Amino acid sequence: MLVSLTIESVAIMVHREIIDIDMVWELMGGVVLSTWDRLRDWSDSYRRASGREKFDEWYQWLAARLEENYSGPKAEPAFRRFARWQPPPR
C-alpha cells in the first residue's frame, strides 16, 4: 500500500505538470515499471474484490506513460549512459 500511495501521488503530480515526467523517469522510472509488473495482478484483484476501480489508477497510468515514452536509448541505465561523466572542475 505504501508503494501504491507514493507512486499514485507522483503520477498525479506528473499529470498536473507539477513534476516533469523526464525527472520521474530518471529518479524512479525503473522502480515504477518493475513494481507495477509485480503489483498489476494484485491491483486488479483488489479492484474486483473491493469494487473500487480507482485503486492504483494513477500508478497504472504512469507505468503506461513510462512504457510508451521511454524505450530505446532513453531506457539505457544511467551507469552506462553517463559512464564518462565527471563533475565540473572547482
Side-chain angles (χ1 to χ4, degrees):
M1 282 295 201
L2 182 58
V3 170
S4 291
L5 289 171
T6 300
I7 296 176
E8 284 275 291
S9 299
V10 170
I12 291 168
M13 288 187 276
V14 168
H15 182 262
R16 294 192 178 186
E17 299 179 359
I18 296 168
I19 300 174
D20 184 72
I21 195 168
D22 288 335
M23 181 65 72
V24 172
W25 173 251
E26 292 293 331
L27 287 172
M28 60 192 307
V31 171
V32 171
L33 294 178
S34 64
T35 56
W36 180 247
D37 282 345
R38 285 182 251 151
L39 295 176
R40 178 181 310 166
D41 292 340
W42 175 75
S43 291
D44 288 342
S45 175
Y46 184 87
R47 287 173 183 168
R48 283 191 303 276
S50 68
R52 295 187 172 124
E53 272 194 72
K54 289 183 67 63
F55 181 76
D56 276 350
E57 64 182 327
W58 288 105
Y59 194 160
Q60 182 175 353
W61 176 87
L62 181 60
R65 298 300 71 76
L66 292 175
E67 285 175 348
E68 289 170 2
N69 294 292
Y70 296 92
S71 58
K74 285 188 173 182
E76 185 178 23
F79 63 85
R80 282 197 203 115
R81 201 164 23 129
F82 302 113
R84 296 178 187 263
W85 181 89
Q86 293 292 320
R90 294 184 180 243

